[in-house]
Amino acid sequence: QVQVEESGGGLVQPGGSLRLSCAASDGADTTFSMGWSRQPPGKEREFVASISRSGAIIYYGSSVQGRFTISKGDGENTVFLLMNNLKPEDTAIYFCGVTEGSYPNNLRDFDSWGQGTQVTVSS
């Protein structure tokens, strides 16, 4: 069973920044490709960003391209999401996902998700 845990959510003013963290483990030596999705209130979940196991391949959703940056941490299965120039429409629950696949770039490519962390952008 894969354990996926997000952290770093909170309340931030428009134009501000926030960094989310995620750590995953399955008790074995599995190395995952990882990524993020989000679900705004009353809307469907959408793909945000992903990074391959090696860190060489990165994808972003069109609504966050140029503002968000995904990166791998020093740990084998850790990932960060740096969110800059945040807007009220970025308000959502953010979920971290993992997959043993190579280059995930949509929600269906992920095998497991965490419980999510709330990000609220408001003045």
Side-chain angles (χ1 to χ4, degrees):
Q1 181 115 11
V2 182
Q3 303 289 329
V4 183
E5 186 169 358
E6 309 94 338
S7 61
L11 173 65
V12 62
Q13 292 187 343
S17 299
L18 205 60
R19 190 178 81 155
L20 305 182
S21 302
C22 175
S25 66
D26 66 350
D29 291 329
T30 308
T31 301
F32 298 107
S33 296
M34 301 178 72
W36 295 90
S37 65
R38 67 184 183 184
Q39 186 161 16
K43 297 184 178 180
E44 294 188 353
R45 192 183 291 200
E46 64 174 342
F47 172 82
V48 173
S50 66
I51 188 165
S52 63
R53 284 191 293 267
S54 68
I57 305 298
I58 289 175
Y59 294 103
Y60 292 103
S62 58
S63 60
V64 305
Q65 180 81 46
R67 298 187 299 122
F68 289 12
T69 302
I70 189 170
S71 61
K72 290 179 66 68
D74 290 336
E76 190 64 42
N77 290 312
T78 59
V79 67
F80 303 107
L81 185 68
L82 176 61
M83 305 182 293
N84 293 323
N85 189 23
L86 283 161
K87 306 174 182 180
E89 50 265 41
D90 294 316
T91 295
I93 300 174
Y94 284 72
F95 300 91
C96 178
V98 302
T99 177
E100 294 186 48
S102 299
Y103 310 121
N105 63 3
N106 62 71
L107 298 180
R108 295 185 301 274
D109 290 338
F110 292 90
D111 302 319
S112 299
W113 296 96
Q115 294 296 307
T117 185
Q118 177 71 47
V119 172
T120 302
V121 184
S122 175
S123 55

